[in-house]
């Protein structure tokens, strides 16, 4: 049964071209919003908190600060509304899921950039 599910996900789900990113990276996600018959592109720029799942059911969580309030959004990797994903900065973190980032404020909420 599991082989059948994997086969269907691999064959029939459309895959988006996305860059390699992980927790701690700052990315911008451009996605399409439909309001009635109109469509517009909106972007969400923030720090990746986690990537969860595998294959076509994988999701990632992004956190940004809107004023003094933290906003988190979960995106499926293969969401058809996603137009593109830009990698702005690669962060240097030691964990795959940086939930501790939610409690940090001010200068402590900065993530060091990877040097390449």
């Amino acid at each position: 049964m599991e082989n059948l599910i994997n086969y269907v996900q691999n064959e029939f789900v459309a895959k988006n071209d996305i860059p390699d990113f992980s927790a701690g990276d700052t990315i911008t996600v451009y996605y399409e919003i439909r309001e009635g018959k109109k469509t517009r592109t909106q972007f969400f720029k923030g720090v990746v908190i986690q990537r969860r799942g595998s294959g076509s059911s994988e999701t990632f969580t992004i956190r940004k600060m809107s004023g003094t309030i933290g906003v988190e959004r979960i995106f499926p990797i293969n969401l058809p509304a996603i137009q593109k994903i830009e990698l702005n900065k690669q962060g240097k973190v030691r964990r795959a899921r940086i939930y501790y980032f939610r409690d940090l404020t001010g200068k402590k909420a900065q993530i060091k950039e990877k040097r390449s």
Side-chain angles (χ1 to χ4, degrees):
M1 186 66 179
E2 194 168 311
N3 289 338
L4 182 63
I5 293 171
N6 289 338
Y7 174 75
V8 170
Q9 285 180 345
N10 292 335
E11 293 296 320
F12 298 110
V13 176
K15 292 179 176 60
N16 291 338
D17 290 332
I18 60 164
D20 287 335
F21 62 89
S22 60
D25 295 349
T26 303
I27 63 172
T28 306
V29 178
Y30 294 89
Y31 58 99
E32 198 173 80
I33 292 182
R34 290 186 195 92
E35 295 170 336
K37 294 181 181 177
K38 297 179 186 175
T39 61
R40 64 184 174 89
T41 301
Q42 186 169 331
F43 67 91
F44 195 89
K45 180 178 180 180
V47 177
V48 178
I49 297 292
Q50 69 171 346
R51 284 182 76 158
R52 170 174 280 174
S54 63
S56 61
S57 63
E58 185 177 357
T59 62
F60 59 97
T61 305
I62 302 178
R63 179 180 177 85
K64 76 172 184 177
M65 293 300 293
S66 181
T68 57
I69 298 173
V71 179
E72 289 188 12
R73 177 122 193 220
I74 300 170
F75 289 99
I77 285 282
N78 290 320
L79 184 69
I82 292 179
Q83 293 177 342
K84 69 176 178 175
I85 297 176
E86 279 182 3
L87 182 63
N88 301 84
K89 270 194 326 190
Q90 285 193 316
K92 182 180 177 186
V93 293
R94 293 183 176 192
R95 305 200 173 275
R97 298 188 175 157
I98 54 174
Y99 296 133
Y100 65 87
F101 192 65
R102 294 172 175 159
D103 301 327
L104 303 179
T105 57
K107 248 186 167 176
K108 291 182 180 180
Q110 293 178 346
I111 294 178
K112 291 182 182 174
E113 194 169 353
K114 274 187 190 174
R115 290 189 287 173
S116 53

